Amino acid sequence: SPAMGRIEIESLWIYPVKGCRGVSVESARVSATGLELDRAFCIVDMEGVVVAAREAISKRKLPALATIETVLLNGGATLELRAPGQAPIQIETAPLNTSKNGDILIVDASGKSTTTSGGGDEDDVPAMAGWKLGELKGVVLEEASEWVNIYLNGVVKTASGKARPTRYAMVRSVSHLSM
């Protein structure tokens, strides 16, 4: 086989919270599931108003997530979330011991379609057609969930400008994806 040239990585990014802004890092540990802390957290809609209930929300489905900045502090031991007009919040990034940290929440890691709704108005919940990647087990972080609720319920609107309140939850993954 022909000799390969040298491969250089010009930049390395991780996204600690699915759908939120990423963080440029100098290095990252590789685990069985990918880069450490990459998408270790997600935001879910507990009521199914914006996306399907308990689905990990993507930036494509909720563009407001792109306004939430993530910053790793203390060598990656702390994640700080920042958003316009809101005081930052800090979250420990260490994996959680579920027996100490609360009940397990099953998070849907699917891709429910937002383009095959079959009609309806802009306030309809997206259609349930789509693909199924699997489920993640996670723990709801109450204080971070409160922060997310205050921010997203203040900025998420329908195309006509109506508020679209729901109950969001910030979830820390405690398992690998199960299919």
Side-chain angles (χ1 to χ4, degrees):
S1 76
M4 291 187 63
R6 182 175 171 207
I7 298 174
E8 277 188 47
I9 298 173
E10 291 184 19
S11 65
L12 184 59
W13 288 77
I14 62 170
Y15 296 81
V17 182
K18 177 180 175 60
C20 296
R21 291 185 192 170
V23 178
S24 177
V25 294
E26 292 293 317
S27 64
R29 283 182 232 155
V30 179
S31 72
T33 58
L35 299 178
E36 185 177 61
L37 293 179
D38 190 48
R39 294 167 183 86
F41 300 85
C42 67
I43 297 170
V44 300
D45 178 349
M46 297 296 285
E47 298 172 348
V49 173
V50 176
V51 298
R54 298 186 180 191
E55 178 183 341
I57 306 173
S58 69
K59 183 172 19 191
R60 180 177 60 82
K61 292 187 179 178
L62 190 61
L65 292 179
T67 63
I68 300 175
E69 179 182 2
T70 60
V71 179
L72 291 174
L73 305 171
N74 305 320
T78 305
L79 171 65
E80 184 171 89
L81 301 180
R82 301 174 183 169
Q86 187 147 331
I89 186 171
Q90 294 185 356
I91 304 165
E92 291 187 31
T93 62
L96 299 172
N97 177 338
T98 57
S99 64
K100 288 183 179 177
N101 294 93
D103 295 331
I104 295 291
L105 176 72
I106 304 299
V107 175
D108 189 1
S110 298
K112 305 285 193 275
S113 176
T114 58
T115 59
T116 59
S117 67
D121 65 28
E122 66 184 19
D123 295 328
D124 282 347
V125 174
M128 299 312 285
W131 47 268
K132 178 79 169 169
L133 181 59
E135 296 175 332
L136 290 170
K137 292 179 182 175
V139 173
V140 174
L141 305 174
E142 296 299 335
E143 187 177 345
S145 295
E146 183 179 331
W147 186 93
V148 166
N149 272 294
I150 291 167
Y151 180 67
L152 289 178
N153 281 320
V155 298
V156 174
K157 311 274 189 242
T158 65
S160 63
K162 292 191 294 186
R164 201 167 194 186
T166 190
R167 187 168 53 97
Y168 294 100
M170 172 69 77
V171 177
R172 171 61 157 107
S173 174
V174 296
S175 72
H176 302 301
L177 186 66
S178 72
M179 299 185 190

